Amino acid sequence: MPVLFTWKGKTLTTAHAKGYAASAFPRSTGSSDEAAVRALQLVLESLEDSKAEDIVTINIAGKSALGDFMVVVSGRSSRHVAAIADHLTTDLKDEGFGNARVEGLETGDWVLIDNGDVIIHIFRPEIREFYNIEKMWATPEIEDGTLH
């Protein structure tokens, strides 16, 4: 079942088949927003090429100053997690997105890649299930006056 989020009033889906990632995200008119969407598309394509599993994209623009999108994926093993991270950082650099900051590559349990616009978490399945960060970021927004 696809995971749905909205971005600028449009519904985004994270369940996409190879080659359809670009069509799942709307083009933005702003140059900064467009760069973030381009970076996200590159990240999703790279993750699919690396056979990453359970790809979930979360729009964090307006919720956090950390970036515009968060992507959470799984690798089958520590070696697969490290290979996904290595492939992704190479793709980002080759496409002109600079050197991303990388944490956790040594152990391969949970690798964090911060590109600025897109933050990518690559987990082994057990570690991902334990931390469950998708649930934390995908909570509904609380409006003023709704707390009792």
Side-chain angles (χ1 to χ4, degrees):
M1 170 167 215
V3 178
L4 299 174
F5 297 95
T6 57
W7 184 63
K8 294 190 177 184
K10 296 183 181 179
T11 301
L12 305 179
T13 180
T14 59
H16 49 270
K18 188 160 182 74
Y20 292 101
S23 64
F25 299 96
R27 290 269 179 208
S28 175
T29 56
S31 61
S32 175
D33 291 341
E34 188 173 311
V37 171
R38 268 192 22 238
L40 178 62
Q41 290 171 345
L42 174 67
V43 166
L44 294 175
E45 290 169 6
S46 178
L47 293 171
E48 288 175 355
D49 287 345
S50 297
K51 306 291 190 237
E53 299 174 349
D54 300 323
I55 301 170
V56 174
T57 303
I58 303 168
N59 179 10
I60 60 171
K63 294 180 183 177
S64 174
L66 298 173
D68 292 333
F69 298 100
M70 183 177 294
V71 179
V72 183
V73 302
S74 296
R76 292 181 299 276
S77 64
S78 295
R79 181 176 280 181
H80 188 217
V81 168
I84 292 168
D86 185 51
H87 183 245
L88 179 57
T89 54
T90 301
D91 286 349
L92 287 167
K93 187 174 182 180
D94 290 349
E95 291 297 319
F97 287 101
N99 290 328
R101 291 179 295 275
V102 180
E103 300 281 337
L105 192 56
E106 302 79 29
T107 59
D109 289 334
W110 176 1
V111 178
L112 170 71
I113 301 173
D114 186 353
N115 162 304
D117 291 329
V118 182
I119 300 166
I120 304 98
H121 296 272
I122 308 168
F123 290 100
R124 281 190 309 109
E126 309 82 47
I127 305 298
R128 181 177 180 173
E129 184 178 341
F130 179 79
Y131 286 103
N132 199 11
I133 63 172
E134 298 102 317
K135 184 177 180 182
M136 178 178 65
W137 283 98
T139 57
E141 294 183 21
I142 299 173
E143 296 179 19
D144 292 340
T146 59
L147 295 178
H148 301 286

